[in-house]
């Protein structure tokens, strides 16, 4: 009987997905009332009733086409179904030997490397998202720095390791990762950026590295670069940075959470040229690949250092799988089969289908940027370089910008987020949902027109 209830509930959720275009993007009331833990359970049908009438109306339409905050992808139909299968089958992909799940994850990682035209020397692991992938990036870089001093940090601790982190515009998740890894959130060295850009200035990086080595020749630098910064979508010159890092024996980690997808449009010689020379890479599949939360990926050319960083043995964990178990190259021991929605997406849509979705989002961003550029009430604060549009009211104060953003979001038609550019408050619209069309941009334009 419960299986029949489950089928009915899933069918209702499918209907809900079809209504995303019409429901408010932001929940008008997002406060769920407290009540005491029930002594007797409500049962499955009781939960479904509570969810339908009290919880679902309080949730955002973030899976819909006009949720343009952060860099939020939607869940495409194939990936959604695959994610339901992941939950239903409940595989533990900590290691192989009893299920094909681990093999499918390894194949999916190879497909991602092929999708982004990365050399087959890259290997890695699926993570909960870019934050945990960046944590692995910080930990592996720390392990590398320790190796240069003859210290196995994973076994013996960080004490005595001579290292320094350098970056221009690290994502907040990278700063968080540096705190987790013991570097300290405030202890990275800021490299100057190019004019009107979040991209790293090469001359500043070189001068900082020279000074670092003069001060302490034993210091092992760690450079954090960006392939698509979160606000300006600026790209560091990865090709040149990689050469500089080799000269100074520095570890190069690239946060390419969503910017890596630019390679599908421009190829390996586009904005992310040189990404293939990174020591490690972070990417997010629940952003521009449009699979459900949570799904990130950590890739590295030094899988042996990753294993040295993460591996812990125990008799009950032994098995006969010849491959490196995922629990030995990731944060988690027990892991859900989160590769399956990615596998399903790549199998279903192929390179061409995924590329078409990326191109469509870029066109929508250009459409909105063009309207803002021509509008009487708004100004584009930076040219739209990819899929993020930055704008503000013309001649408006920071308070004016905040008020406009509040009214836009209160309309229920579209959702955007705040940001800062060159010291001023701005409005930021990020296009990364497979559902978004020109008609959605026109709806947002009508909302903005009423506020001019």
């Amino acid at each position: 009987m419960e299986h029949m209830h489950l089928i009915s509930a899933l069918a209702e959720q499918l209907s809900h997905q079809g209504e995303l275009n019409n429901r408010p993007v932001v929940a008008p009331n997002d406060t769920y009332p407290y009540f005491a833990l029930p002594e007797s359970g409500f049962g499955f049908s009781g939960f479904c009733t509570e969810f339908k009438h009290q919880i679902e109306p309080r949730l955002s339409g973030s899976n819909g086409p006009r949720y343009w905050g952060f860099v939020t992808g939607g869940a495409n139909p194939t990936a959604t179904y695959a994610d339901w299968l992941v939950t239903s089958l409940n595989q533990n992909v900590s290691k192989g030997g009893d299920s094909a799940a681990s093999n499918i994850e390894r194949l999916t990682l190879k497909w991602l490397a092929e999708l982004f035209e990365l050399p087959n020397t890259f290997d890695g692991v699926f993570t909960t998202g870019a934050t945990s992938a960046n944590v692995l990036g910080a930990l592996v870089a720390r392990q590398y720095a320790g190796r240069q001093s003859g210290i196995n940090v994973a076994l013996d601790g960080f004490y005595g390791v001579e290292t320094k982190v350098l970056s221009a515009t690290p994502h907040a998740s990278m700063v968080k990762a540096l705190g987790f890894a013991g570097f300290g959130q405030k202890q990275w060295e800021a490299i100057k950026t190019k004019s009107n850009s979040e991209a790293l200035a090469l001359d500043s990086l070189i001068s900082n590295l020279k000074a670092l080595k003069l001060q302490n020749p034993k210091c092992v630098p760690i450079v954090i670069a960006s392939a698509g910064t979160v606000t300006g979508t600026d790209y560091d010159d990865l090709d040149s940075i990689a050469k500089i890092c080799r000269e100074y024996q520095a570890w190069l980690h690239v946060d390419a959470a969503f910017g890596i997808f630019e390679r599908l449009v421009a190829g390996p010689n586009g904005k992310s040229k040189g990404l293939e020379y990174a020591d490690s890479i972070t990417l997010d599949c629940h952003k521009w690949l449009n699979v459900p939360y949570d799904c990130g990926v950590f890739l590295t050319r030094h899988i042996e250092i990753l294993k040295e960083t993460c591996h812990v043995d125990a008799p009950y964990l032994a098995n006969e799988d010849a491959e490196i178990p995922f629990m030995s190259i990731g944060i988690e021991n027990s892991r859900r089969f989160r590769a399956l929605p990615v596998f399903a997406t790549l199998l279903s849509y192929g390179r061409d289908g995924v590329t078409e979705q990326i191109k469509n989002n870029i066109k929508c961003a250009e459409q909105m940027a063009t309207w803002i550029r021509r509008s009487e009430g708004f100004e584009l604060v930076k040219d739209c370089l990819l899929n993020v549009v930055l704008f503000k009211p013309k001649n408006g104060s920071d308070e004016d910008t905040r008020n406009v953003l509040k009214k836009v979001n209160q309309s229920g038609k579209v959702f955007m987020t705040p940001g800062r550019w060159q010291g001023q408050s701005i409005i930021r619209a990020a296009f990364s949902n497979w559902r978004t069309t020109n008609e959605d941009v026109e709806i947002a334009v009508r909302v903005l027109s009423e506020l001019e």
Side-chain angles (χ1 to χ4, degrees):
M1 183 62 70
E2 284 194 356
H3 282 88
M4 297 301 295
H5 287 311
L6 176 61
I7 292 170
S8 175
L10 291 177
E12 191 166 326
Q13 272 305 300
L14 283 174
S15 174
H16 161 79
Q17 293 299 314
E19 297 170 358
L20 279 172
N21 282 6
N22 302 318
R23 67 172 290 173
V25 181
V26 178
N29 175 15
D30 63 354
T31 301
Y32 184 70
Y34 169 83
F35 59 92
L37 173 69
E39 292 294 334
S40 299
F42 284 17
F44 183 83
S45 61
F47 163 72
C48 290
T49 299
E50 180 70 10
F51 182 81
K52 180 178 180 179
H53 296 292
Q54 298 297 332
I55 298 176
E56 189 175 56
R58 291 176 163 87
L59 302 180
S60 74
S62 60
N63 209 29
R66 293 186 300 280
Y67 190 94
W68 298 343
F70 319 107
V71 186
T72 302
N76 70 64
T78 304
T80 298
Y81 174 63
D83 203 61
W84 288 349
L85 290 176
V86 170
T87 300
S88 175
L89 298 171
N90 201 29
Q91 302 290 286
N92 182 1
V93 198
S94 60
K95 54 199 327 179
D98 65 345
S99 167
S102 295
N103 300 109
I104 291 172
E105 180 156 331
R106 293 187 182 99
L107 173 59
T108 307
L109 289 165
K110 292 183 185 298
W111 279 4
L112 285 172
E114 292 174 17
L115 181 71
F116 299 122
E117 299 187 57
L118 295 172
N120 60 14
T121 50
F122 278 96
D123 200 354
V125 64
F126 277 86
T127 68
T128 56
T131 300
S132 52
N134 278 333
V135 169
L136 284 176
L139 294 174
V140 176
R142 188 185 70 176
Q143 189 75 6
Y144 166 80
R147 271 188 168 199
Q148 311 314 303
S149 303
I151 300 171
N152 187 326
V153 177
L155 295 181
D156 302 319
F158 205 3
Y159 180 77
V161 178
E162 303 283 353
T163 187
K164 188 71 177 179
V165 177
L166 302 92
S167 189
T169 315
H171 189 272
S173 67
M174 191 72 243
V175 176
K176 179 187 283 191
L178 294 175
F180 287 156
F183 292 98
Q185 292 186 10
K186 296 181 178 180
Q187 295 306 310
W188 57 279
E189 191 165 322
I191 306 300
K192 293 180 181 178
T193 60
K194 297 177 182 178
S195 177
N196 197 39
S197 172
E198 291 175 321
L200 180 153
L202 294 176
D203 56 347
S204 178
L205 175 63
I206 293 170
S207 63
N208 276 264
L209 285 170
K210 283 182 177 178
L212 198 62
K213 285 295 188 180
L214 282 173
Q215 183 181 358
N216 182 1
K218 294 182 179 180
C219 183
V220 180
I222 296 168
V223 177
I224 309 296
S226 299
T229 57
V230 72
T231 302
T233 61
D234 293 305
Y235 284 70
D236 289 333
D237 183 349
L238 301 177
D239 201 35
S240 297
I241 292 172
K243 293 173 183 175
I244 294 168
C245 285
R246 287 196 294 271
E247 181 181 350
Y248 288 90
Q249 294 81 51
W251 180 277
L252 174 58
H253 175 71
V254 179
D255 187 337
F258 73 95
I260 193 171
F261 288 89
E262 186 266 350
R263 290 172 83 86
L264 298 181
V265 177
N269 292 317
K271 295 179 180 180
S272 66
K273 181 182 180 182
L275 180 64
E276 58 272 21
Y277 302 123
D279 293 295
S280 57
I281 301 170
T282 282
L283 68 99
D284 239 341
C285 296
H286 58 230
K287 286 186 170 66
W288 229 346
L289 196 61
N290 281 267
V291 306
Y293 285 107
D294 48 26
C295 188
V297 176
F298 177 72
L299 297 173
T300 180
R301 292 190 293 112
H302 308 278
I303 197 70
E304 75 286 352
I305 304 182
L306 180 58
K307 181 182 178 184
E308 191 177 90
T309 303
C310 300
H311 179 72
V312 174
D313 217 347
Y316 82 98
L317 297 173
N319 73 348
E320 297 179 356
D321 190 359
E323 301 283 351
I324 299 175
F326 287 114
M327 62 171 292
S328 295
I329 53 175
I331 295 171
E332 304 153 299
N333 279 6
S334 299
R335 304 170 58 252
R336 78 192 304 262
F337 189 13
R338 63 173 54 92
L340 188 61
V342 178
F343 172 84
T345 296
L346 296 177
L347 185 68
S348 177
Y349 297 96
R351 181 191 300 274
D352 291 344
V354 175
T355 301
E356 191 59 34
Q357 291 176 8
I358 303 303
K359 287 181 177 179
N360 177 65
N361 282 159
I362 293 173
K363 287 179 182 178
C364 287
E366 290 173 348
Q367 178 187 352
M368 184 170 175
T370 298
W371 181 84
I372 291 171
R373 194 179 290 111
R374 296 171 179 171
S375 74
E376 295 181 0
F378 296 98
E379 61 178 301
L380 202 64
V381 299
K382 187 178 191 291
D383 287 338
C384 178
L385 303 178
L386 194 63
N387 66 320
V388 178
V389 182
L390 310 180
F391 66 102
K392 65 184 289 292
K394 276 185 181 176
N395 304 315
S397 65
D398 284 358
E399 185 176 358
D400 292 332
T401 302
R402 288 190 290 269
N403 287 336
V404 167
L405 176 60
K406 184 178 180 179
K407 291 177 182 178
V408 167
N409 291 342
Q410 285 178 340
S411 74
K413 301 292 186 181
V414 64
F415 178 77
M416 305 178 199
T417 46
R420 292 197 69 80
W421 187 259
Q422 305 295 306
Q424 60 183 336
S425 291
I426 59 163
I427 299 171
R428 178 181 172 278
F431 293 76
S432 49
N433 191 301
W434 67 278
R435 297 174 184 264
T436 306
T437 66
N438 295 339
E439 288 74 17
D440 294 303
V441 178
E442 290 171 3
I443 290 172
V445 163
R446 287 197 290 272
V447 172
L448 291 171
S449 296
E450 295 175 0
L451 299 173
E452 279 192 289

